[in-house]
Amino acid sequence: MSGPAVFKFGGTSLGDGERTGRVARIVAGAGSPPVVVVSAPAGMTEALVALATGRSQDDGASLVDAARRIAAEVGGEDLADLIERMVAERVVAFRSSGGAGSSPAARDALLSLGEDVSTAIVHHALVDAGVDAARVDARNLIRTDDRFGAGEPDPAAIRRAAEERLLPMAAEGRVAVVQGFVGATSDGRTTTLGRGGSDLTATLLGAALESSAVHIWTDVDGILTGDPRWVARPLSLDVVGFEEAVELAWFGAKVLHAGAAKHAVAHRLPVRIRSTFAPERPGTLVLAERWGGPDIAAVACKRSVALIQVRSRPTAIEYGFLAGVFGTLAEHRTPVDLVATSHTSTAFTIDEGAEIGALAEALDHVAEVDVRRGLSTVTVVGRGLLREPGFAARVFQTVAFTPVHLISQATDSSLSFLVDDEEAEALVRRLHLVLIEGRAGRDASAHGARGAG
Ligand code: ASP
Ligand code: MG
């Protein structure tokens, strides 16, 4: 028997009273009571990060206003007053612990406010809609280590807590409402899982409960084949394999957090991406199994990437070179996207936001380092791409007139090009046109995709 489904709602589903009402109706209409995981209201975590890092001089007033407005729309003045007090108290506590200069632990205590607010609001909306719901603090479920800002979850402890606290509720038909993104150390200090971490909360709980499925409710109708702002006719995918979903999550389709996708793969947990605005549609099903022949899923793009080129010093011992480079990256906990290597040099890409200066300095001991910023990766994602006859020719013809800094392909499910930021949009549009729209025109149904919107 499988455990209760997990429904995760993103911030855009909680932006106002009307949207929160949709969430309540979706939960009320679910066949059996799900576990509900919620993100902060849209924009709130961003505002809290600005406050926490001293980027915003705001005294917290605009945060209070935004949270108050949603709360008032959902539950009237009483709920609005409650939320206002919650926000004000937390901001004051952060200030008195040292403000922008305070510890990472104090920062996480502030950042968790967004999800504390949204669970209070969603809980109210659910009870209003006649749902038997109760809040369960994520601090009592999502145990992490003390890496504040990027807590490493402890799956065994999470499983014990979820079994103890969530299963009895499900058996009684009660809906548990849990903060996404938030966790706690074994001694009860609040941690967070990193930006976008609510999806990870959902898959962590899904795996712990052996859920039938995790539903990620968002504002788009599943995973699209291309960014709708860029491509002429994006399609919505019915089914996508996990491997492709992980690639897509990593290389730009923001609908599913990459860590969450990986966790779901490891536990063979089916994930469905659905729209709160079109709950009758099935959205995209992300499946552990990859079935069928080669198929192109999507053209993704990741902006603001830096290329690091590292050439070994003539004196360096050749066989220790790559180990030295990647060991340094691991020490700096810097995730690498693309890699290409030759005998004496290696090039790789990392987020422009990473601490590139410190990294370059550390690498300087083993090699000469060149850094180039302002780049984007454009990635074609699909199952068994390179086995498809003619695929490489069509792709390279399309890329022919775009200057490329690096090409990378490690599995058979993605092929990436590193280009200047200014070139990315046009390249995505052309690749999408040639590889997806051109094909969909010929045979839409055979590729498990349908027109979006
Ligand atoms: N509210 C958090 C963030 O914006 C977590 C999430 O939305 O998934 O990063
Ligand atoms: Mg998200």
Side-chain angles (χ1 to χ4, degrees):
M1 226 200 72
S2 51
V6 176
F7 281 15
K8 179 262 173 176
F9 293 94
T12 50
S13 304
L14 311 166
D16 56 32
E18 195 267 330
R19 292 178 184 207
T20 310
R22 285 176 187 279
V23 168
R25 283 196 296 281
I26 289 168
V27 174
S32 48
V35 170
V36 171
V37 172
V38 292
S39 298
M44 188 155 177
T45 307
E46 204 50 51
L48 289 166
V49 169
L51 199 66
T53 53
R55 263 195 287 122
S56 141
Q57 294 314 311
D58 193 332
D59 56 358
S62 60
L63 272 167
V64 168
D65 287 349
R68 222 201 125 83
R69 180 185 52 78
I70 305 171
E73 285 181 33
V74 172
E77 284 307 304
D78 285 352
L79 184 65
D81 288 345
L82 181 92
I83 297 292
E84 173 169 347
R85 274 200 303 279
M86 209 165 139
V87 176
E89 273 168 26
R90 196 76 62 90
V91 171
V92 167
F94 178 69
R95 286 268 148 73
S96 59
S97 73
S102 65
S103 68
R107 231 178 278 164
D108 269 359
L110 179 67
L111 293 192
S112 62
L113 173 63
E115 275 71 12
D116 287 337
V117 164
S118 61
T119 40
I121 293 175
V122 166
H123 175 249
H124 188 102
L126 288 175
V127 172
D128 245 15
V131 176
D132 180 9
R135 290 171 72 184
V136 177
D137 196 330
R139 295 169 184 84
N140 295 324
L141 294 170
I142 307 295
R143 165 77 58 79
T144 71
D145 67 5
D146 61 359
R147 233 172 258 157
F148 295 98
E152 183 73 32
D154 173 348
I158 292 169
R159 188 181 187 109
R160 281 194 302 276
E163 280 173 358
E164 187 188 317
R165 292 170 195 261
L166 299 180
L167 285 185
M169 288 179 68
E172 287 167 17
R174 305 194 85 188
V175 168
V177 184
V178 182
Q179 308 96 318
F181 178 60
V182 176
T185 60
S186 55
D187 55 355
R189 288 176 298 158
T190 299
T191 54
T192 61
L193 302 177
R195 295 305 308 275
S198 295
D199 291 352
L200 181 57
T201 304
T203 53
L204 284 166
L205 292 179
L209 295 166
E210 295 180 17
S211 292
S212 51
V214 171
H215 296 244
I216 304 284
W217 291 90
T218 177
D219 58 350
V220 290
D221 184 19
I223 298 181
L224 301 178
T225 54
D227 189 326
R229 290 166 306 176
W230 287 2
V231 310
R233 288 190 305 125
L235 304 172
S236 178
L237 296 159
D238 287 338
V239 182
V240 61
F242 263 125
E243 219 169 299
E244 290 77 50
V246 173
E247 296 286 324
L248 277 170
W250 194 255
F251 288 117
K254 289 275 179 301
V255 282
L256 185 62
H257 180 273
K262 278 190 197 158
H263 191 73
V265 185
H267 294 273
R268 310 188 75 73
L269 189 64
V271 174
R272 203 175 258 292
I273 317 282
R274 308 177 66 174
S275 169
T276 23
F277 301 98
E280 69 291 351
R281 297 212 201 140
T284 301
L285 179 62
V286 183
L287 271 184
E289 274 73 37
R290 312 167 88 215
W291 41 264
D295 192 11
I296 295 154
V299 182
C301 178
K302 186 170 181 177
R303 312 280 287 175
S304 304
V305 165
L307 174 67
I308 315 288
Q309 283 172 302
V310 183
R311 213 163 294 109
S312 78
R313 298 198 187 285
T315 49
I317 306 163
E318 301 279 296
Y319 53 79
F321 172 61
L322 286 179
V325 171
F326 289 99
T328 305
L329 284 163
E331 272 162 33
H332 286 248
R333 293 182 63 78
T334 306
V336 175
D337 291 337
L338 308 178
V339 184
T341 72
S342 71
H343 186 55
T344 55
S345 59
T346 184
F348 55 86
T349 64
I350 59 178
D351 277 358
E352 235 174 27
E355 285 168 10
I356 297 176
L359 191 66
E361 205 169 294
L363 286 170
D364 194 58
H365 301 299
V366 283
E368 286 166 46
V369 181
D370 262 331
V371 178
R372 186 190 277 265
R373 294 166 200 263
L375 305 174
S376 295
T377 55
V378 173
T379 304
V380 182
V381 178
R383 180 178 56 240
L385 291 178
L386 291 175
R387 284 183 277 127
E388 182 167 287
F391 169 76
R394 264 179 294 147
V395 169
F396 283 99
Q397 263 158 28
T398 311
V399 178
F401 298 102
T402 307
V404 173
H405 298 284
L406 186 148
I407 300 175
S408 167
Q409 176 262 326
T411 68
D412 69 350
S413 43
S414 74
L415 178 59
S416 295
F417 297 90
L418 185 66
V419 301
D420 292 324
D421 272 336
E422 312 78 75
E423 302 280 349
E425 181 175 340
L427 183 59
V428 167
R429 196 178 298 126
R430 282 203 307 278
L431 283 168
H432 192 271
L433 188 68
V434 170
L435 299 173
I436 293 171
E437 289 166 61
R439 238 163 88 138
R442 272 174 266 138
D443 182 6
S445 60
H447 300 289
R450 58 181 194 277

